Amino acid sequence: MPVLAVNVDHVATLRQARMGIEPEPVTAAYMAEMAGATGIIVHLREDRRHIQDRDVELIRKTCNTRLNLEMAATKEMQGIALEIDPEFVCLVPEKRQELTTEGGLNCIGREKELADYLTPLRAKGIRSSLFIDADPKQIEAASATGTEFIEIHTGHYADAKEITARNKELAKILDAIKLARNIGLKVNLGHGLNYRNILAFKDVTGISEYSIGHSIMARAIYIGLDRAVRDMAELIRTFVD
């Protein structure tokens, strides 16, 4: 059965809007776990626009499930990951001017570079994932890095306005899942998924985890974080293995 990992970045975004002490992403992570999340995701960006180093350190100490540290493939972030020792790292592209991650990591031509980057993390027992677009060439390149997982970027599907475009993006994702599984990769999905568009994957096999943050936090404003996480976790429990 696929599982739910909750991203708490947006809790930190709200806190940083006032540069204050609330709301507290560490508390949100704990509440998400209590409501059924099987993992917590934080993206420590180079510009520290939302999640801060102290958030990662405290969530690492208090996390009862699995911590997935999203990060750019930089020397600084590698050092932080080796020190913090999360269960997972997910390498993502990062641009200072973007509002959120706009696309997948380019792995083509970087296979050795990324493999070398992941080597010390793997030696410490940290599992890895690469956040990539639903592109066969990117999937094959990701496989060559030795990563165990990929996370397929679902943002293009989620953002499509017209049904034809949405179905086209969905078909790419479904083909990508099959290819990745056939060559031995485990598959997570993430970016832009909400309580409606996730239903397209209800009968799709081969998905290990859904990475969801924004839609859960948006729903939590109206009904509370506990209920919002429980609703998504219960929805995913109805999906096929």
Side-chain angles (χ1 to χ4, degrees):
M1 181 186 299
V3 296
L4 169 66
V6 174
N7 187 312
V8 298
D9 291 353
H10 295 288
V11 179
T13 297
L14 184 57
R15 178 194 62 194
Q16 296 305 111
R18 291 290 182 92
M19 300 299 290
I21 60 172
E22 60 182 13
E24 174 57 80
V26 180
T27 302
Y30 173 77
M31 292 180 66
E33 288 184 317
M34 294 302 98
T38 59
I40 298 299
I41 301 169
V42 291
H43 181 178
L44 185 65
R45 294 183 68 104
E46 292 182 89
D47 61 11
R48 307 304 198 269
R49 68 173 64 170
H50 41 59
I51 291 292
Q52 304 297 302
D53 295 70
R54 57 80 69 181
D55 300 327
V56 182
E57 292 167 6
L58 288 174
I59 292 174
R60 169 68 287 176
K61 291 176 181 177
T62 58
C63 184
N64 294 305
T65 55
R66 301 178 301 179
L67 176 60
N68 186 339
L69 177 61
E70 291 186 344
M71 62 188 201
T74 66
K75 190 69 175 177
E76 178 198 18
M77 292 300 159
Q78 185 187 59
I80 290 172
L82 289 170
E83 181 179 353
I84 295 296
D85 196 21
E87 281 78 15
F88 281 87
V89 296
C90 182
L91 301 186
V92 300
E94 195 172 297
K95 294 184 290 186
R96 292 294 177 98
Q97 67 272 25
E98 66 187 1
L99 289 176
T100 184
T101 306
E102 296 173 347
L105 183 72
N106 178 34
C107 301
I108 299 171
R110 301 180 64 196
E111 294 89 344
K112 185 179 185 304
E113 172 197 345
L114 292 171
D116 290 345
Y117 186 88
L118 292 173
T119 295
L121 299 170
R122 188 178 299 113
K124 196 167 184 181
I126 301 172
R127 305 168 84 178
S128 65
S129 176
L130 303 182
F131 182 75
I132 61 174
D133 287 326
D135 178 340
K137 292 182 179 179
Q138 293 290 353
I139 293 169
E140 291 167 357
S143 179
T145 70
T147 189
E148 182 181 356
F149 286 81
I150 59 169
E151 181 176 328
I152 296 176
H153 176 234
T154 52
H156 301 308
Y157 157 72
D159 294 339
K161 305 300 182 185
E162 303 295 330
I163 187 67
T164 300
R166 191 177 309 122
N167 287 339
K168 182 177 179 181
E169 294 298 332
L170 177 60
K172 289 181 183 178
I173 295 169
L174 298 182
D175 288 343
I177 293 169
K178 291 178 183 177
L179 172 60
R181 296 293 292 174
N182 285 340
I183 61 177
L185 291 168
K186 297 175 183 176
V187 179
N188 301 333
L189 298 186
H191 205 81
L193 295 175
N194 59 39
Y195 296 83
R196 298 177 301 279
N197 61 31
I198 196 174
L199 295 174
F201 302 99
K202 179 178 174 60
D203 297 318
V204 178
T205 60
I207 301 169
S208 297
E209 181 178 278
Y210 293 91
S211 168
I212 304 176
H214 186 268
S215 65
I216 289 175
M217 298 309 163
R219 186 175 177 86
I221 290 175
Y222 304 113
I223 66 172
L225 183 55
D226 181 85
R227 175 68 183 277
V229 174
R230 288 185 189 278
D231 285 353
M232 184 62 81
E234 289 171 7
L235 184 63
I236 291 173
R237 286 191 195 102
T238 70
F239 289 15
V240 299
D241 185 354

